[in-house]
C-alpha cells in the first residue's frame, strides 16, 4: 500500500492541502482539467505531482479572473510546446486583457467614490447650516475631517502612452503589438501574470514539467 501511494495523494488530502472542497476537484476533472493517474486497490483516485501542479495553476488562474476555457487553453499548451514559450505568451495575453478589464472596473469604482464624496460634502453643508443644533455641528465637524482624509487618499495611477494589445497570432505563431497608428506606439507597462510561483528557475521548471506530463 505504501509503495502504491508513494508520491501520490487522495482527493480528500489534495483538497485539504489547497483548502478547497473535494467537489471542486471533481468538477475540474469533469471539465478535463485534471485526470488522476490511477486508482488504488480501494478504488480511490490518486493524484501525483502533475495533477498537484495543474491544480495550483487552475486555482491561481481562477483567482486572477481567468475563465475555465482560458485555463484549459493554457494547460493544453504544456503538451504542445515543451519550451513553454507559447504557454507563457498565451498566459500573458490573457493576463494583460484581464488587467485592463480590472483597470476599467477600478476607474468606474473611483468615479462612484468621487460622486459619493461630493454627496457627503453636500450633506455636511446641510448639517453645518443647522447652527442651533450642537450635536449636528459636532457631527458635521467630524464628517468634514473624514472627507478631507478620504479626498487626500491616493490610489495607483495608470501610466500614459499609446494603447496597445499584446496578442499571439495563433495562425502564424507571431507575437506583436496591435493598436495605435500603424501598429506603433509605446506599450503600457502592466505587471506580467506568470503561470507559476516566483520560485527559483529550477523550481519553476520542475513544476511546469509535472503539469505537462
Amino acid at each position: 500500500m505504501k509503495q502504491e501511494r508513494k508520491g501520490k495523494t487522495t482527493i480528500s488530502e489534495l483538497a485539504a492541502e489547497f483548502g478547497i472542497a473535494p467537489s471542486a476537484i471533481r468538477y475540474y476533472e469533469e471539465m478535463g482539467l485534471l485526470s488522476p493517474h490511477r486508482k488504488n486497490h480501494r478504488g480511490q483516485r490518486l493524484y501525483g505531482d502533475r495533477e498537484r501542479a495543474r491544480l495550483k495553476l487552475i486555482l491561481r488562474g481562477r483567482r486572477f479572473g481567468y475563465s475555465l476555457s482560458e485555463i484549459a487553453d493554457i494547460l493544453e499548451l504544456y503538451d504542445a510546446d515543451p519550451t513553454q514559450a507559447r504557454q507563457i505568451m498565451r498566459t500573458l495575453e490573457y493576463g494583460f486583457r484581464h488587467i485592463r478589464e480590472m483597470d476599467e472596473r477600478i476607474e468606474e469604482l473611483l468615479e462612484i467614490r468621487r460622486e459619493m464624496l461630493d454627496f457627503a460634502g453636500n450633506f455636511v453643508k446641510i448639517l453645518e447650516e443647522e447652527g442651533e443644533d450642537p450635536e449636528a455641528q459636532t457631527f458635521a465637524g467630524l464628517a468634514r475631517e473624514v472627507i478631507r482624509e478620504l479626498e487626500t487618499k491616493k490610489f495607483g495611477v495608470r501610466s500614459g502612452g499609446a494603447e496597445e494589445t499584446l496578442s499571439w497570432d495563433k495562425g502564424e505563431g507571431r507575437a506583436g503589438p496591435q493598436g495605435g497608428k500603424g501598429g506603433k506606439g509605446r506599450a503600457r507597462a502592466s505587471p506580467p501574470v506568470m503561470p507559476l510561483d516566483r520560485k527559483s528557475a529550477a523550481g519553476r521548471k520542475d513544476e511546469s514539467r509535472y503539469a505537462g506530463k
Side-chain angles (χ1 to χ4, degrees):
M1 177 63 177
K2 289 184 178 180
Q3 184 65 27
E4 183 182 53
R5 283 200 55 188
K6 185 177 181 180
K8 302 293 190 298
T9 184
T10 65
I11 188 170
S12 297
E13 293 168 340
L14 188 65
E17 178 182 341
F18 285 92
I20 60 177
S23 59
I25 296 177
R26 295 191 189 96
Y27 176 70
Y28 295 141
E29 289 180 25
E30 293 174 1
M31 298 297 294
L33 302 178
L34 295 174
S35 55
H37 285 231
R38 56 194 172 91
K39 297 182 178 180
N40 61 14
H41 70 288
R42 297 171 56 187
Q44 292 178 308
R45 289 168 289 192
L46 297 178
Y47 303 81
D49 291 326
R50 173 184 182 273
E51 301 311 311
R52 181 179 285 103
R54 290 172 76 91
L55 180 58
K56 184 179 294 185
L57 298 182
I58 292 168
L59 295 178
R60 186 179 299 115
R62 296 299 287 165
R63 179 173 178 269
F64 289 164
Y66 287 40
S67 67
L68 288 180
S69 62
E70 290 173 338
I71 294 172
D73 188 20
I74 291 170
L75 289 174
E76 287 177 3
L77 290 173
Y78 274 118
D79 297 324
D81 181 16
T83 69
Q84 298 185 55
R86 286 179 172 78
Q87 185 266 344
I88 290 174
M89 287 190 290
R90 185 57 55 80
T91 302
L92 289 171
E93 177 186 347
Y94 289 144
F96 290 148
R97 181 189 305 168
H98 286 295
I99 289 172
R100 290 192 172 97
E101 291 173 353
M102 284 188 284
D103 284 345
E104 292 176 359
R105 292 199 296 270
I106 289 172
E107 289 294 337
E108 292 175 0
L109 289 172
L110 288 175
E111 179 60 30
I112 294 173
R113 183 181 186 275
R114 286 189 288 268
E115 292 179 9
M116 292 180 68
L117 285 174
D118 289 341
F119 273 107
N122 292 333
F123 287 139
V124 169
K125 288 180 181 179
I126 294 175
L127 288 178
E128 290 172 339
E129 292 173 357
E130 298 294 329
E132 298 181 358
D133 188 338
E135 184 178 357
Q137 295 303 306
T138 300
F139 192 93
L142 294 174
R144 184 67 69 184
E145 291 181 9
V146 172
I147 291 174
R148 280 196 293 266
E149 179 182 344
L150 292 174
E151 287 178 337
T152 57
K153 185 176 180 61
K154 301 296 182 181
F155 296 91
V157 179
R158 291 190 293 176
S159 60
E163 187 71 23
E164 289 191 347
T165 301
L166 290 176
S167 64
W168 175 54
D169 190 311
K170 198 169 185 179
E172 301 180 11
R174 296 181 302 180
Q178 294 180 346
K181 295 183 179 180
K184 297 181 180 180
R186 185 177 58 190
R188 184 173 58 194
S190 299
V193 180
M194 300 306 293
L196 306 175
D197 283 332
R198 289 186 175 180
K199 301 177 181 177
S200 64
R204 290 197 298 270
K205 184 177 294 184
D206 288 342
E207 187 175 271
S208 62
R209 173 168 55 84
Y210 287 128
K213 290 183 178 179

